[in-house]
Amino acid sequence: MSYYKYHVFFCTNSRDDGAQCCAQCDALAQRTYLKRKTKELGLAGPGGVRINTAGCLDRCAEGPVLVVYPEATWYTYIDHNDLDEILTEHLIGDRVVERLRLPG
């Protein structure tokens, strides 16, 4: 059994050369939002959900991106509404959000 039911990694990479990156889409604030929501709902911690920052996940053109383990489900998102849907459907309901899913 995994230590966390779901482990979510948000790419928050920033590129100095101005190339497209997740940081341009306010990825760190988006990660902070989802982390706060999981804590408020009592989902955070061992056996539950862990939200982490990741460096470059090398999918900049599809960003912003996050990946949910243990399934390695990749998502893109635009705003809090998309993150709320990932939270409700995937992290709580155990259902992949197909409209936001990226090819693995």
Side-chain angles (χ1 to χ4, degrees):
M1 174 177 240
S2 181
Y3 190 74
Y4 298 109
K5 180 178 180 183
Y6 291 116
H7 205 153
V8 182
F9 292 93
F10 273 79
C11 179
T12 59
N13 190 56
S14 178
R15 295 185 178 215
D16 294 333
D17 65 1
Q20 184 174 343
C21 63
C22 293
Q24 293 170 341
C25 300
D26 210 16
L28 186 57
Q30 299 286 3
R31 183 213 53 101
T32 300
Y33 171 80
L34 192 60
K35 186 170 185 156
R36 180 176 48 82
K37 292 285 286 193
T38 58
K39 286 182 179 182
E40 287 173 358
L41 294 170
L43 301 172
V49 177
R50 174 75 180 179
I51 308 295
N52 276 102
T53 299
C56 185
L57 294 174
D58 204 23
R59 295 188 80 167
C60 303
E62 301 168 287
V65 298
L66 63 85
V67 61
V68 179
Y69 286 99
E71 305 97 327
T73 303
W74 289 83
Y75 288 112
T76 189
Y77 59 90
I78 300 296
D79 54 24
H80 291 171
N81 291 328
D82 289 344
L83 295 177
D84 287 341
E85 188 174 354
I86 292 168
L87 173 65
T88 302
E89 293 300 313
H90 193 140
L91 304 180
I92 295 173
D94 302 318
R95 293 177 299 273
V96 172
V97 181
E98 291 298 334
R99 73 177 192 85
L100 299 173
R101 185 179 194 181
L102 295 171

